[in-house]
Amino acid sequence: DIGSLQAYNYGEVADNAHLDDDENSMITLGIFDYVIWNYDRHDWNYLVTSEPKTIAIDNESSFGAKDNDWARKEIIRDIEDIADKQIPENTVKIFERYLRDPRIRIRLRKSLSDLLDNGSINAICSRIEKISKFILNDGKIPSDENSLETLTFK
């Protein structure tokens, strides 16, 4: 495993360090976690800076580390947290460019090929395409059970 060690900066928690203050970043992080199949995002697995900006940490439980019913339920629970919320415009544009430009899709696959097996890469690309249909339809991920089940393609 590759990791990092950083000095802990003691101090007060920033006044803006909770979910409501950086909702757009949290929505984007929820989508990112779905794409990388990270079923372990919780309050201790992200940082909020003073800007505020959300930074994902501890992504160990990603890329199909567990692909079972429990992981699927966790993914659905995480997607429910952002369902029916407006997806940030910059995130929508990223998905539009990905679908429009085959060079981006090729670069993503090439970048991931040194890190992941073909099955994991195919799963990531499939999840991007699945969630794109919702994001590009009306800028939201629907909260109905059928839509959420569709995203986990059991």
Side-chain angles (χ1 to χ4, degrees), residues 42-137:
H42 52 76
D43 289 348
W44 298 102
N45 282 353
Y46 65 89
L47 304 173
V48 180
T49 67
S50 60
E51 281 87 30
K53 180 181 176 186
T54 303
I55 300 170
I57 60 171
D58 189 7
N59 296 303
E60 178 182 337
S61 300
S62 302
F63 301 115
K66 281 190 179 176
D67 189 15
N68 55 36
D69 287 339
W70 179 83
R72 284 185 189 92
K73 287 176 187 171
E74 290 298 306
I75 295 290
I76 288 173
R77 179 188 54 81
D78 292 345
I79 291 291
E80 285 174 333
D81 289 344
I82 62 170
D84 294 327
K85 294 182 179 177
Q86 191 64 44
I87 306 296
E89 186 177 330
N90 61 333
T91 302
V92 172
K93 287 181 180 180
I94 290 169
F95 281 87
E96 288 172 341
R97 282 193 308 266
Y98 175 86
L99 293 176
R100 185 178 59 242
D101 189 344
R103 295 171 299 175
I104 293 173
R105 295 191 298 276
I106 291 167
R107 277 196 308 259
L108 176 63
R109 285 183 171 277
K110 181 158 178 37
S111 296
L112 293 173
S113 67
D114 290 337
L115 304 170
L116 301 170
D117 61 74
N118 281 333
S120 295
I121 295 169
N122 290 338
I124 288 167
C125 294
S126 292
R127 286 191 289 270
I128 291 171
E129 289 177 20
K130 281 186 175 282
I131 203 164
S132 292
K133 291 175 185 173
F134 294 117
I135 291 172
L136 301 180
N137 186 32

